[in-house]
Amino acid sequence: MEDFSNLIQDVIDTHPGMSFLDDAPEFHARYIETVTGRIMYTVNRSWSSKITLTELRESNFLKVLASLEDEPDINQVSDYFSYEHFYVIYCKFWEIDTDHDLIVNLDDVMRHADGTVNPRALERLFEGTVTHNMTDTLTYFDFIRFLLAEEDKSHPTAIEYWFRIMDLDGDGFISLYELEYFYQAQLEKMRLLGVEECSVLDCICQALDLVRPKEDTKITLTDIKKCKQPSLFFNIFLNIQKFLDHELKDPFSNKDGEIPLTDWEKFAAREYEDLIADEELNKQYEYEDDFEDEDEEIPMMGNINVARSAVEKYGN
């Protein structure tokens, strides 16, 4: 991670779209860590924590880096460097990191997204399946990977990420037993939500029809990578709300001529708008209650009191 620090710091210091951070150095370290996490997530296809020359050449990183020279708005560079994307990731972590020590445990992570992520999948995060060691806690760097994978399950790294989670015995296959194991937890959530349940058998048949594995009784990583809807397959077993949202989605909602956005870009845009709206509302209440704060300036593209308060209190 340190290999990228000077490079990303130079972006902070010289890019016109980052000038608002000149007087807020407390945010530099978190932005650097976030950009580094996104680079490693996308470019390091071998999961080795070290980017090879081949991986670098086969990625779009150098092209994206070069584009910073011609793009004055850092948020238009959605791959890796977008400050709005950093803001969303950091605030999402801050929401569950209640003691703000930059590490979270299982109970913390289970609060993410109002508890819609399958708890059996979250337990697997701490078993060394997608980190290098078994651990009782996840770092902010670990959370970056989790959030990217959770919000765009069609990304190549996300497909590998969630396959590792669902492959309980590490034999390279997702068996019918493993599908049932994760779906049982989904059924419990359906009952809590009061929605019509889909039986285990019907669900597994739907998943097999979706993936069309080479062997009927087990699913390989290659099978899922060939599937046209990997996000739907994973959400059936891992995120009940996303699965239900898909079932209610208008199949003709995508308009012709629109530039397609990735699931991650859609999520980040939606969450950024919501976070800024919340901050504006909070600022209004604070203004009404305490006129002494009315001249406070926030050196950000928007108001991010939430993130800044955490950094100022707990340091870099």
Side-chain angles (χ1 to χ4, degrees):
M1 189 173 87
E2 295 178 358
D3 294 336
F4 285 103
S5 296
N6 291 336
L7 172 65
I8 301 170
Q9 184 65 56
D10 186 62
V11 172
I12 295 173
D13 294 339
T14 62
H15 194 279
M18 299 294 286
S19 60
F20 65 94
L21 272 187
D22 289 347
D23 297 324
E26 66 270 24
F27 284 99
H28 292 193
R30 295 286 77 78
Y31 176 77
I32 290 171
E33 186 172 6
T34 304
V35 173
T36 301
R38 297 188 67 187
I39 293 170
M40 296 300 296
Y41 177 83
T42 301
V43 180
N44 183 216
R45 303 294 298 118
S46 63
W47 289 67
S48 65
S49 298
K50 295 180 181 180
I51 294 175
T52 65
L53 182 59
T54 298
E55 288 175 330
L56 188 63
R57 286 173 173 170
E58 292 179 349
S59 74
N60 69 343
F61 175 70
L62 295 179
K63 181 179 179 180
V64 172
L65 184 64
S67 73
L68 293 174
E69 293 286 340
D70 302 317
E71 178 51 69
D73 185 354
I74 196 73
N75 291 317
Q76 294 301 312
V77 187
S78 59
D79 288 337
Y80 313 116
F81 293 98
S82 168
Y83 195 86
E84 290 182 359
H85 289 193
F86 153 71
Y87 174 55
V88 169
I89 295 170
Y90 187 60
C91 286
K92 285 298 173 185
F93 182 79
W94 191 90
E95 288 174 2
I96 64 172
D97 180 22
T98 53
D99 58 3
H100 311 307
D101 58 357
L102 295 178
I103 58 173
V104 290
N105 59 29
L106 178 59
D107 290 336
D108 295 327
V109 179
M110 283 189 174
R111 289 195 299 272
H112 174 72
D114 296 324
T116 58
V117 183
N118 190 318
R120 292 183 175 180
L122 295 179
E123 290 170 359
R124 293 278 290 159
L125 298 179
F126 297 84
E127 296 176 5
T129 54
V130 290
T131 58
H132 290 291
N133 299 293
M134 291 187 64
T135 177
D136 293 329
T137 59
L138 298 180
T139 65
Y140 174 58
F141 196 80
D142 295 326
F143 179 82
I144 295 169
R145 296 179 66 86
F146 162 72
L147 188 64
L148 292 172
E150 167 59 18
E151 295 304 333
D152 188 354
K153 295 184 177 73
S154 64
H155 189 283
T157 302
I159 293 173
E160 296 171 3
Y161 189 99
W162 295 114
F163 184 88
R164 289 182 177 212
I165 292 291
M166 294 186 68
D167 181 15
L168 295 174
D169 54 10
D171 64 353
F173 303 98
I174 298 177
S175 66
L176 300 183
Y177 164 77
E178 287 161 337
L179 294 179
E180 180 178 358
Y181 173 80
F182 286 100
Y183 191 68
Q184 287 292 348
Q186 297 289 75
L187 282 175
E188 293 179 14
K189 288 187 175 293
M190 288 182 185
R191 296 182 187 113
L192 290 174
L193 292 172
V195 299
E196 184 179 355
E197 297 177 20
C198 177
S199 70
V200 174
L201 180 60
D202 288 344
C203 171
I204 291 178
C205 287
Q206 180 182 354
L208 293 176
D209 287 343
L210 187 67
V211 176
R212 297 186 180 278
K214 188 175 181 179
E215 298 184 47
D216 292 339
T217 59
K218 53 188 179 182
I219 298 172
T220 67
L221 179 60
T222 300
D223 291 330
I224 302 177
K225 287 185 174 181
K226 290 180 179 179
C227 173
K228 293 182 179 180
Q229 298 187 80
S231 292
L232 176 56
F233 167 75
F234 284 122
N235 283 329
I236 290 172
F237 299 97
L238 303 177
N239 190 309
I240 189 61
Q241 190 60 57
K242 290 183 183 294
F243 173 53
L244 295 176
D245 288 345
H246 180 273
E247 293 296 289
L248 297 173
K249 181 181 178 181
D250 180 358
F252 303 105
S253 59
N254 292 330
K255 299 179 180 178
D256 293 337
E258 288 187 348
I259 298 176
L261 298 176
T262 65
D263 288 345
W264 167 255
E265 290 169 332
K266 293 174 185 176
F267 167 79
R270 182 174 62 252
E271 289 296 322
Y272 183 78
E273 290 181 2
D274 289 346
L275 288 166
I276 291 300
D278 288 344
E279 283 303 306
E280 290 290 350
L281 185 60
N282 291 336
K283 185 178 180 181
Q284 179 181 344
Y285 287 138
E286 289 173 3
Y287 177 81
E288 293 173 353
D289 293 340
D290 188 355
F291 288 98
E292 294 181 358
D293 293 336
E294 63 182 355
D295 294 326
E296 182 180 359
E297 295 182 1
I298 306 299
M300 310 299 294
M301 295 174 180
N303 298 318
I304 61 166
N305 293 332
V306 172
R308 183 162 195 165
S309 65
V311 175
E312 288 178 340
K313 186 173 182 180
Y314 297 96
N316 294 331

